[in-house]
């Protein structure tokens, strides 16, 4: 009895490790194993190549080891020192040449493709340029060819090359959409990084900051929404339409005074906070509160209220002041949440 308990106790850490591993399998939209575009596809191809070669080597080496262990084990009545072998020219050549060949098979496509991933396509004629700026704890997306800025949901046309130019407004962050491509850092030293990817199919892909950047790093999420070319053009047109303000003039005044000092809607407001144009039709509020239509999402107004009632409770350490400290009443907050929830774009 005692012994069995000991064995169970020894297995517990293993169990813990496996549960952790399995916990990582929950969200498929954060997986590099389900590529949704050519860049992610090629990167997965490289991983598969490396893993297959390693598995083949592993199987062969273990098979030989097992065979040798069994075949040359000490048999009954065998007590002397076995025959000592020193060097075998043929074997040594074989186990030098085979790994060499394997490393070359691994290296040629890896080096080739890694350089290709680093190619600068920013000025390609048919690429859609996007300037990404990371902030503690949100993402800003600017489309210089279209004169449009948005936040948290990156809208892209399917099938087109999206060429990014990435920088940070504060600390080191990393831009990562696992189903579309590997990561790219946004560097605080002023370096600007460029890379590109594209999405084959329409859909919403989940992105994350992949570099520990502060207490709300884990909440620094965003979405990539791939739509067809026509929808993308409609979206750009809708983004450029004049600002829509709250209907109630007093509320509009409060919103302009207290919110548009940092935020922009349409052609009004400032660049300090996320652009709020059409926030009612986005996939999330503040990147992390998922709206209806997303897995486990809530009505957008509910999320907006949750955010506006206490931004620090949602994302500790973020740079948005509490609207109550700006002098807003619960009623005004409700009114603004209602206005923002109904600020939708058709595309
Ligand atoms: C001092 C600048 C500042 C002021 C003033 C301000 N905000 Fe913000 N706001 C921010 C920042 C910064 C964020 C991003 C927080 C984060 O996600 O880390 C934000 C985020 C938001 C978001 C989520 C945006 C998104 O893309 O999902 C909403 C909604 C919002 N603010 C509404 C308001 C409203 C309404 C007011 C006025 C009552 C207001 N803000 C006042 C700076 C400000
Ligand atoms: Cu970050």
């Amino acid at each position: 009895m005692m012994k069995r308990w000991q064995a169970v106790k020894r297995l517990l850490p293993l169990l813990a490790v496996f549960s952790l591993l399995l916990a990582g399998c929950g969200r498929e939209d954060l997986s590099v194993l389900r590529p949704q575009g050519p860049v992610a596809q090629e990167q997965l191809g490289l991983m598969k190549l490396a893993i297959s070669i390693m598995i083949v080597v592993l199987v062969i080496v273990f098979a030989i080891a097992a065979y040798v262990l069994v075949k040359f084990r000490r048999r009954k009545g065998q007590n002397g020192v076995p025959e000592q072998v020193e060097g075998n020219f043929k074997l040594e050549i074989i186990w030098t040449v085979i790994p060499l060949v394997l490393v070359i098979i691994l290296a040629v496509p890896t080096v080739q493709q890694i350089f290709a991933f680093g190619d600068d396509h920013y000025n390609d004629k048919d690429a859609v340029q996007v300037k990404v700026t990371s902030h503690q704890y949100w993402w800003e997306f600017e489309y210089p060819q279209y004169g449009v800025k948005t936040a948290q949901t990156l809208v892209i046309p399917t099938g087109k090359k999206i060429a990014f130019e990435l920088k940070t407004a504060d600390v080191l962050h990393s831009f990562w959409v696992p189903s579309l491509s590997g990561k790219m850092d946004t560097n605080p030293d002023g370096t600007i990084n460029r890379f590109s990817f594209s999405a084959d199919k329409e859909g919403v892909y989940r992105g994350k900051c992949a570099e520990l950047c502060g207490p709300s790093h884990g909440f620094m999420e965003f979405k990539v929404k791939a739509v067809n070319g026509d929808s993308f053009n409609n979206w750009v047109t809708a983004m450029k339409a004049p600002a829509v303000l709250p209907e109630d003039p007093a509320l509009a005044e409060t919103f302009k005074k207290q919110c548009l000092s940092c935020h922009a809607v349409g052609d009004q407001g400032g660049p300090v906070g996320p652009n709020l144009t059409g926030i009612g039709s986005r996939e999330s509020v503040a990147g992390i509160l998922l709206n209806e239509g997303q897995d486990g999402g809530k009505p957008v107004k509910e999320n907006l209220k949750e955010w506006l009632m206490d931004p620090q409770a949602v994302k500790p350490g973020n740079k948005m002041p509490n609207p109550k400290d700006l002098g807003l009443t619960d009623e005004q907050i409700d009114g603004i949440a209602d206005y923002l929830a109904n600020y939708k774009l058709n595309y």
Side-chain angles (χ1 to χ4, degrees):
M1 190 61 202
M2 199 59 208
K3 249 198 177 151
R4 197 178 296 165
W5 173 236
Q6 289 289 333
V8 170
K9 257 201 337 211
R10 248 187 248 161
L11 281 176
L12 276 181
L14 199 67
L15 211 73
V17 169
F18 274 119
S19 353
L20 266 181
L21 275 177
L22 289 174
C25 305
R27 299 293 303 247
E28 8 187 292
D29 50 357
L30 261 186
S31 173
V32 292
L33 302 177
R34 289 176 191 80
Q36 302 294 326
V39 172
Q41 191 78 55
E42 281 175 39
Q43 288 171 341
L44 180 60
L46 282 182
M47 285 186 246
K48 279 184 180 160
L49 176 70
I51 291 171
S52 333
I53 291 180
M54 287 186 266
I55 288 177
V56 169
V57 170
L58 197 87
V59 167
I60 293 176
V61 168
F62 272 66
I64 294 176
Y67 171 76
V68 168
L69 278 176
V70 173
K71 165 119 201 203
F72 298 105
R73 71 186 184 277
R74 180 193 283 175
R75 287 166 210 269
K76 254 200 194 113
Q78 222 178 17
N79 288 320
V81 177
E83 185 198 344
Q84 299 295 297
V85 182
E86 272 163 37
N88 182 319
F89 192 64
K90 216 161 134 202
L91 277 178
E92 280 162 17
I93 292 288
I94 290 176
W95 70 52
T96 309
V97 169
I98 292 180
L100 206 69
V101 171
L102 291 181
V103 168
I104 291 172
I105 295 177
L106 196 60
V108 171
T110 305
V111 171
Q112 239 172 21
Q113 290 190 33
I114 281 182
F115 276 94
F117 294 139
D119 277 351
D120 184 353
H121 293 286
Y122 195 69
N123 292 313
D124 282 13
K125 255 204 354 248
D126 53 353
V128 176
Q129 299 176 341
V130 178
K131 290 188 173 180
V132 176
T133 309
S134 54
H135 300 256
Q136 280 170 321
Y137 302 95
W138 59 283
W139 296 91
E140 182 180 346
F141 306 113
E142 183 186 352
Y143 302 67
Q145 294 152 317
Y146 300 98
V148 165
K149 245 189 206 178
T150 188
Q152 309 296 28
T153 293
L154 169 71
V155 180
I156 60 169
T158 50
K160 280 253 193 172
K161 192 177 290 274
I162 316 300
F164 296 97
E165 188 171 272
L166 301 105
K167 65 181 181 21
T168 175
D170 36 55
V171 301
L172 176 64
H173 305 269
S174 189
F175 179 82
W176 190 29
V177 190
S179 52
L180 296 178
S181 159
K183 307 164 187 174
M184 185 57 87
D185 281 0
T186 61
N187 295 84
D189 64 357
T191 330
I192 284 178
N193 286 334
R194 285 179 172 174
F195 85 128
S196 52
F197 63 56
S198 51
D200 293 332
K201 285 179 291 187
E202 292 182 30
V204 176
Y205 308 109
R206 193 169 171 220
K208 248 195 167 335
C209 174
E211 196 75 64
L212 183 63
C213 58
S216 280
H217 158 71
F219 304 132
M220 193 167 159
E221 292 207 0
F222 60 99
K223 297 281 180 291
V224 176
K225 183 171 185 178
V227 297
N228 66 46
D230 289 340
S231 292
F232 180 73
N233 290 335
N234 293 342
W235 176 75
V236 170
T237 310
M239 284 297 290
K240 292 175 81 116
V244 177
L245 289 171
E247 269 169 40
D248 176 58
L251 195 63
E253 215 36 58
T254 309
F255 181 69
K256 272 201 224 167
K257 185 148 165 270
Q258 301 298 353
C259 314
L260 294 191
S261 49
C262 290
H263 294 282
V265 285
D267 46 1
Q268 296 192 30
V272 180
N275 187 304
L276 300 180
T277 314
I279 186 165
S281 46
R282 288 201 201 140
E283 282 58 43
S284 73
V285 172
I288 194 71
L289 302 174
L290 297 181
N291 295 337
E292 234 162 15
Q294 302 294 299
D295 216 10
K298 285 195 270 180
V300 56
K301 182 174 172 194
E302 220 172 284
N303 285 334
L304 282 161
K305 266 188 94 165
E306 182 175 347
W307 175 257
L308 294 173
M309 284 299 182
D310 193 355
Q312 291 301 320
V314 178
K315 277 183 171 177
N318 86 78
K319 305 265 162 63
M320 157 130 174
N322 190 321
K324 285 178 196 154
D325 296 337
L326 297 172
L328 272 76
T329 61
D330 284 3
E331 240 164 284
Q332 285 173 317
I333 290 177
D334 187 75
I336 288 178
D338 200 55
Y339 145 71
L340 288 174
N342 288 303
Y343 197 156
K344 294 183 195 283
L345 303 180
N346 271 326
Y347 62 99

